[in-house]
Each structure stands twice: as structure tokens, then as C-alpha cells.
Amino acid sequence: MMSGTSCDGIDAAIVDVSRPDQQLAVRLLAFETIEYPRMLRAALLGAMPPNPSSASEICALNFTLGEAFAEAALLCAKRAGIDMSAVDLVGSHGHTAYHRPSAAGAAPRSTLQIGEGAVIAQRTGVPCVCDFRVGDVAAGGSGAPLVPYLDFALLANRLEPRAALNVGGIANVTLLPAACAAADVRAFDIGPGNMVIDECVRIATLGRCEYDKGGALAARGRVNARLLVWLLSHPYYRRAPPKTTGREEFGADYAQAAWRRGLELNCGPNDVVATVTAATAQAIADAVPAAYRRVITSGGGAHNVTLMGMLRTALDARAVAPVRLDTSTALGIDVDAKEAIAFAVLAYEAVHGRPNNVPSCTGAAQPVVLGKLVLGCAEPARISRLLEWQGR
Amino acid sequence: MMSGTSCDGIDAAIVDVSRPDQQLAVRLLAFETIEYPRMLRAALLGAMPPNPSSASEICALNFTLGEAFAEAALLCAKRAGIDMSAVDLVGSHGHTAYHRPSAAGAAPRSTLQIGEGAVIAQRTGVPCVCDFRVGDVAAGGSGAPLVPYLDFALLANRLEPRAALNVGGIANVTLLPAACAAADVRAFDIGPGNMVIDECVRIATLGRCEYDKGGALAARGRVNARLLVWLLSHPYYRRAPPKTTGREEFGADYAQAAWRRGLELNCGPNDVVATVTAATAQAIADAVPAAYRRVITSGGGAHNVTLMGMLRTALDARAVAPVRLDTSTALGIDVDAKEAIAFAVLAYEAVHGRPNNVPSCTGAAQPVVLGKLVLGCAEPARISRLLEWQGR
């Protein structure tokens, strides 16, 4: 399970994970996105920076959120007709209450995820692995990104270099050289994925739409070359990886500035949406080295047909040979469920005692088994099964 | 390892735990109390209620405190000449940042311990079990007390009922009927242990002494009968167990009120100290049912000879037959190290998948495996050893 920075809700995936012949194999059995109740979302946003909070509030919210995660797990299983007794393990990322990827003054490099794993284990009766990022931070890493572990395990190829692209609020990429070892993997944030597009759509539709469904608005607009240049001149794109970005750089303020710039250039609303979509596509294409002619996309942006079309054009314009652009679904990883699947896999690896961070991507000093195992009230037979499983 | 509510420092015990013939056996190899650096203590107290805090501060403090716990573990081992490679597991209680044993308005029953276990595992290279209380709270308990598990496992007797008394800031007792099952165990807070005595000593010595070493001041004073009656008339003593108390009821305000009452009654400083010591002894004796003729003490108060003498007298005055009053050290559990030992044992039980709460004492709906296992950067051989160990 995963809860993104947007505080919208919880992604829950039920996954069959195994390792036939040492090679990780994953099969998605069910996937749900369960929205947060309005009050809980307000409480979450209220406790996040820059709002003040307190030990008392965080203490309460950690438990309240744990209940929401447990409900999401139970609901996902119920809707899929899967009995919880058939679920061996829950992996839960929780929600990031604070993230400090590098030390600031007296405050050390640190991260805080909430959504109490002990509550999840108690309500579901299933052992839970939670709190993955702290272990990487303790090892000197930035605690992110964690999904490259999944990319490496499932998408790396012996013969061709592959780029695993995720277009969420932020677009990030994992570069997997041909026949790569974990140490060869690189990952970084490219820049905005849907974040700027979504905000411009909200402005263009006066809040009626939260995002550009299928890229329909962008398809009706015309790309403005001068606005495109303005967008791509953001200094973040010139910074060398590893690098990370977020709402601080590409949030509502930035989108509003883009909108105003568009108005100055006589863009219509759809033209602005088309142009921020084109900028996103171009920035992605610029970030993928030319040697990578296989790009595998996931995240909400993979449903934006206009964005994907523009990305294909931009990638092809750049490469000597054409680029093959697939969704991760085509390779067996549902585009929407990928992050949730990642935490199922990380949990699975954790209980087997296998390091599950990718130090070359996080900056950690060494491989670490991320995650904390909570056995909770699981029945003895279930615990024995899990412990035997670990013995392997 | 344990850090008490006084924020003084960390108790670290190195313990050989085993289960020959299913019966838990514990041998203390080393024990240290490592004081917090002054800045850290100030930061800790500053983040505790009623002071405000923030997600950002708690995030940082969790890591800073994790470093302090890791250093305490390493220091304790170093001073004892024990190599960390010989340590299989670290159990760490952490420090309670907030504790809400029952729901209050929208805030659910919840508890928050900080002192990141992933940092401890990383710095020591030893797997760590941390975060014990949340699991009991998730199961509907109050997350406390947890030490009765140790009392039950090590001090319960087939033939005689025993009272395990701990005189820390607060005095609490675990009642272990003869041949008891876990469900028969009861535990509750009696009232102040050293808390009121310490505060009166601070007032009497104008802050020169923090506590009545060996009970020397009390020994020089005379018990004032009217002050004693006033002290024992506190309504907390009449409440039926299970009950819990703390600094809110018996903190500095209460001690100052006792001091003023003593002055009105023409008590000298030592007379007040003698009388609050006598009240503590009497309240303990009143709380131990007459059938319990074996009382086993631990905690700092066990070093207060005057208190222990008064307790012996009060217990004998009440019982038909004399009461045997021992320190836990006499039964193999160092009086000072008991709480730290308890978390070593709880961690040991957790990795074996054994429930380690005592629901009859915490109010939890069921037995639960408390604690979260962090494997961290432990070497594969060490992890295999631990996982095999679990298989048993």
C-alpha cells in the first residue's frame, strides 16, 4: 500500500510474489485506490508543513491513518473476493509526514512516515512490514527513490538498456543499462509529470476538472513555441542527476506563472494545457540518454494519450533509431499499481532478509534491508508459516 | 534499552536470554545508565507536552535520539568488553514522546515512541526490535505496563503468591498469584515511588541533592502523623485498579503542597522527607493484598534503606504472618537493570513470534507480539542466524 504526497488516498495492490529460480516474479491479483475520507484528508494536510503540529497530533494521526490503511487492505481484498487468510504479508509505505533528505542545521537527515503498521497488523490479522524509508536514511541515503528496486528486479534486460519512466505528479526515471548490476542503476526526478498539467487544467476549467483526462484538452490546443521555451528554461532541468524535486519547485505557484506567461503570449486555455504537456514530454525525452531506445512508462501520465504521443515524437526526434515506448502493463506491471506493487515486493524481500534498497539511486552507503516487521496478533500457524518462509 | 519519562538518560543492559525447557532464563552481562547530553535532554523536554512541536521536529528528534540509543548500546558493550558481533539482537523501548491511553475526542487511543530503531540497527550492525507499545494500543490496550511480562516469566511461583514491586518515580506492582497463568496477573500503579520524596529533598536541600541517597535524610527526620494522614488521603489511593498515575497527579505541585502542609505542622525539612517516605511505604503496603507474603522490589527506591525499612514494618503490621521482602537482585534480576532487561526479553520473544504483552495488565483484547523487527545492514550470516533462530 502506498499513499502519495497529494493526500488523495491509498493505493492498495494484492500481489502474488515469488522467486522461482532466484528471479523475482510478480502477479497482480487486485488493485484499488481508496480515497481518504474528507476529514482525514484535511487532518493530514493540516499536519503537514508548513502547518505546525505537535507530538500529540502526530501520535493520533499515526493511529487514525493506520486504521485507514487497514480498511483499505480489507476493502481491496473484499472487492477482489480474496480472503485475508490467503494473504501472507502486508507491505505498507505509510504517508510521509516529513522528509529531510539532507541535514539542515542541527536537524539530521531524517524522514517520518505515519500510518501505524501495528494497527494494520492488528486489524487485518496479517503480519505487516512498514516504515521502509528510515532504514535508507539511517544508512546515509536520502530514503528515496525506492521503486528502482522493482524496476531493476523486473524490468532490467540482459540485452538492451531500458528506461523505466513513471509519470506521477513528478516524472522520474530509472535507467537500467543492459545486463546491469544493482550498482549500475541510476534514478532521478526529471521534473513535473502531471503536476503542472493538472494545475493548468484546474485553472482552465475553473476547477471543474482535476486533470486532463486522456489528454483531451491538450489535444484541442496548439503548442506555443515561446511558452515552451520559457517552460524548458527552468534551471532544474540543467542540474545534473542525482536530483529530486517536488511541489516546492513545480507547485501551484509555478503553474500560475506559466498560465500568466501564456496569457501574455495570447495563448487560449487549451493552448496553455497543450504547451505544458509538450514541455513535460520534451523534458522527459531530454532526460533519457540516447542509448536508451526502450522506454517503459507507468503512473497516471501513461493514460494521457496526448502526452504519450508528444513523448514518442520527442524521443524519436532525438534518437538515431526509433524508440520503443511501452506501458509497464505490457511488461506485466500495471501502470497504476506499480508503486503499490513495489511495496509488496519490498516487504517480501524484507522478510526474506534481502537488502531492498538501491544505494546507487538513494545515495545510501550500503545495501540495507528496509522495513520493519510487525507480527502483531497473527495466529501461531500463520507466524510459523512466515518464519519458515524466512528460513529459506 | 529504556529511556524513562524523566529524560535523564538511557538504561542499557546486555543480557543472555534463553529458554531451556521452555522456561525463560535471563543472565545480566552488563548494565549502564548513559546520561543524555545536555542539549539532547533540552530538545527532548522541549518537544514533550505541553510544549508545541512539529512533524519536522519529531522527524529530526527521532533520528537524533536513535543515534543516542545506538551510542548507548555501543558504549555499554565496549565498557563490558563485549564485541557487538556477539550480540544477536537489540531491543529498544525508545522514549515516549506522547501517550494517550484512552481516546480523547477525535484523537484515538494512541502512543508514540521515538528513537529510530533503523538508526540503532545501522550503527550497531545488529538487528533491532523497537516500538513495543503501539501493538498493545492497536489491540485495545493502554500500551502499559509491559514489565509484568518479565515478572510473570521470571518471578511467578508455583507455590506462593508474589508481588513484584518497582519503586521508580512512580511505584507499581505486579501481583502474581501462586501457579498463575498470564491471565491471572494483575498490575497497577500504586502511587508515587521516589517522585515526591525526590522533590521534597530538592526543596529541603535547596537543589543540592536530587534524591535521598540511601534514605539518609528520612532516617534523620521524624514522621509527622498528621502530615502522614494528609498524604494518604489523596483520592488516587482509593481508586480501584487497574489504574495509572504520573507527574500530572504527583509532580512538583503536589510535593510543594505537601511541603507547605508540613511547615504548617511545624515539621523540619528532614521530618517532611521522613513523612513522605513513610507515606510511600504505607501506600505500597496498603496496595499489596494480605495474601502476598513475598514482596520482590526493584527500581531506584530499592536502594532507599529507610523506605525499605518502613515498608517492611508496614507490611508486617498488616499481615498475620511476616512478609518476606527481597530485592529482585536476590532473585537474579538486578534492581536497576530490570526495565532494560525487560525490553531485551520482549525483543527476544518478538523474534520468536511469541506474544509478549500481558492483556490482563494492559487491557488489550488479546495477546499480541509487540515490537517491530528491523534487520537493517546486518550481515547475511547474522540475518540467517536470526532467521534460523526464529524457525525454532
Side-chain angles (χ1 to χ4, degrees), chain B residues 84-294:
Chain B
M84 284 311 279
S85 66
V87 178
D88 287 315
L89 188 64
V90 173
S92 178
H93 170 267
H95 186 85
T96 296
Y98 202 84
H99 188 64
R100 187 184 284 110
S102 38
R109 184 194 293 263
S110 48
T111 189
L112 178 65
Q113 278 72 44
I114 59 173
E116 184 49 54
V119 173
I120 300 170
Q122 183 66 31
R123 296 289 171 266
T124 60
V126 178
C128 175
V129 179
C130 58
D131 226 359
F132 293 89
R133 296 196 193 273
V134 288
D136 188 80
V137 172
S142 60
L146 300 185
V147 176
Y149 186 85
L150 188 77
D151 294 329
F152 172 62
L154 295 181
L155 299 177
N157 185 271
R158 217 157 48 79
L159 302 174
E160 62 177 9
R162 291 176 168 183
L165 171 71
N166 189 74
V167 185
I170 293 294
N172 56 64
V173 69
T174 304
L175 299 176
L176 304 156
C180 60
D184 305 321
V185 179
R186 296 290 179 275
F188 57 92
D189 286 346
I190 292 168
N194 307 313
M195 192 176 273
V196 179
I197 302 172
D198 289 354
E199 187 60 29
C200 286
V201 167
R202 269 183 222 112
I203 301 173
T205 64
L206 303 173
R208 271 185 301 109
C209 296
E210 290 284 313
Y211 68 106
D212 188 11
K213 195 172 179 185
L217 297 184
R220 272 183 254 144
R222 193 178 295 194
V223 175
N224 180 295
R226 291 180 64 194
L227 179 58
L228 185 65
V229 168
W230 184 88
L231 288 162
L232 292 171
S233 69
H234 192 290
Y236 179 78
Y237 297 120
R238 288 194 302 276
R239 278 176 50 198
K243 58 184 180 176
T244 179
T245 188
R247 209 167 281 281
E248 299 73 19
E249 275 174 304
F250 294 108
D253 287 353
Y254 175 77
Q256 285 159 20
W259 184 267
R260 285 192 300 270
R261 184 80 188 122
L263 290 191
E264 289 166 17
L265 295 167
N266 284 320
C267 290
N270 290 345
D271 300 337
V272 176
V273 175
T275 310
V276 294
T277 303
T280 300
Q282 188 61 51
I284 293 170
D286 292 346
V288 176
Y292 288 76
R293 290 204 289 274
R294 185 83 187 267

Side-chain angles (χ1 to χ4, degrees), chain A residues 144-160:
Chain A
L146 299 186
V147 176
Y149 187 85
L150 188 76
D151 294 329
F152 172 62
L154 295 181
L155 298 178
N157 185 271
R158 219 158 48 79
L159 302 174
E160 62 176 10

Side-chain angles (χ1 to χ4, degrees), chain B residues 21 44 129 186 188 273 296 305 309 335 347 359 361 386:
Chain B
D21 318 321
L44 263 183
V129 179
R186 296 290 179 275
F188 57 92
V273 175
I296 300 157
V305 179
V335 287
C361 297
L386 189 71

Side-chain angles (χ1 to χ4, degrees), chain A residues 162-382:
Chain A
R162 292 176 167 183
L165 171 72
N166 189 74
V167 185
I170 293 294
N172 56 63
V173 68
T174 305
L175 298 177
L176 305 155
C180 61
D184 305 321
V185 179
R186 296 290 179 274
F188 58 92
D189 286 347
I190 293 169
N194 307 313
M195 192 176 273
V196 179
I197 303 172
D198 290 354
E199 187 60 30
C200 286
V201 166
R202 270 183 221 113
I203 302 172
T205 65
L206 303 172
R208 270 185 303 107
C209 296
E210 290 283 313
Y211 69 106
D212 187 11
K213 195 171 178 185
L217 296 183
R220 272 184 254 143
R222 193 178 296 194
V223 175
N224 180 294
R226 291 180 64 192
L227 179 58
L228 185 65
V229 168
W230 184 88
L231 288 162
L232 292 171
S233 69
H234 193 290
Y236 179 78
Y237 298 120
R238 288 196 302 277
R239 278 176 50 197
K243 58 183 182 176
T244 179
T245 188
R247 208 168 281 281
E248 299 73 20
E249 274 173 304
F250 294 108
D253 287 354
Y254 175 78
Q256 284 159 21
W259 183 265
R260 285 193 301 270
R261 184 78 188 124
L263 290 190
E264 289 166 18
L265 295 168
N266 283 320
C267 291
N270 290 346
D271 301 337
V272 175
V273 175
T275 310
V276 295
T277 303
T280 300
Q282 188 60 51
I284 293 171
D286 292 345
V288 176
Y292 288 76
R293 292 205 288 275
R294 186 84 188 267
V295 176
I296 300 156
T297 60
S298 59
H303 298 298
N304 184 327
V305 179
T306 308
L307 175 64
M308 290 297 115
M310 288 171 167
L311 175 59
R312 189 182 300 271
T313 305
L315 284 167
D316 283 344
R318 178 213 60 163
V320 184
V323 168
R324 183 161 165 199
L325 183 65
D326 283 318
T327 64
S328 64
T329 304
L331 281 93
I333 308 174
D334 184 278
V335 288
D336 298 311
K338 189 179 170 189
E339 280 198 294
I341 292 171
F343 288 97
V345 167
L346 294 182
Y348 176 86
E349 297 293 71
V351 295
H352 285 84
R354 277 193 285 265
N356 51 5
N357 65 336
V358 182
S360 61
C361 297
T362 63
Q366 66 187 119
V368 172
V369 181
L370 305 179
K372 295 174 180 167
L373 173 62
V374 185
L375 295 176
C377 66
E379 304 147 11
R382 185 190 274 279

Side-chain angles (χ1 to χ4, degrees), chain A residues 47-49 51-64 67 97-100 106-112 116-119 122-123 130-131 133-135 137-140 350-355 365-378 383 387-388 390-391, chain B residues 47-49 51-64 67 97-100 106-112 116-119 122-123 130-131 133-135 137-140 350-355 365-378 383 387-388 390-391:
Chain A
M48 302 296 112
N51 299 314
S53 187
S54 66
S56 161
E57 279 176 77
I58 302 230
C59 177
L61 204 50
N62 180 41
F63 273 71
T64 304
E67 298 285 354
Y98 201 83
H99 188 63
R100 186 184 284 111
R109 185 194 293 263
S110 48
T111 189
L112 178 65
E116 184 49 54
V119 173
Q122 182 66 31
R123 297 289 171 264
C130 58
D131 226 0
R133 297 197 193 272
V134 288
V137 172
V351 295
H352 285 84
R354 277 193 285 265
Q366 66 187 119
V368 172
V369 181
L370 305 179
K372 295 174 180 167
L373 173 62
V374 185
L375 295 176
C377 66
I383 293 180
L387 297 185
E388 275 165 34
Q390 295 194 330
Chain B
M48 303 296 109
N51 300 313
S53 189
S54 66
S56 160
E57 280 176 77
I58 302 228
C59 177
L61 204 51
N62 181 41
F63 272 71
T64 305
E67 298 285 355
Y98 202 84
H99 188 64
R100 187 184 284 110
R109 184 194 293 263
S110 48
T111 189
L112 178 65
E116 184 49 54
V119 173
Q122 183 66 31
R123 296 289 171 266
C130 58
D131 226 359
R133 296 196 193 273
V134 288
V137 172
V351 295
H352 285 84
R354 278 193 284 264
Q366 65 187 120
V368 172
V369 181
L370 306 180
K372 295 174 181 167
L373 174 62
V374 185
L375 295 177
C377 66
I383 293 180
L387 298 186
E388 275 165 33
Q390 294 194 330

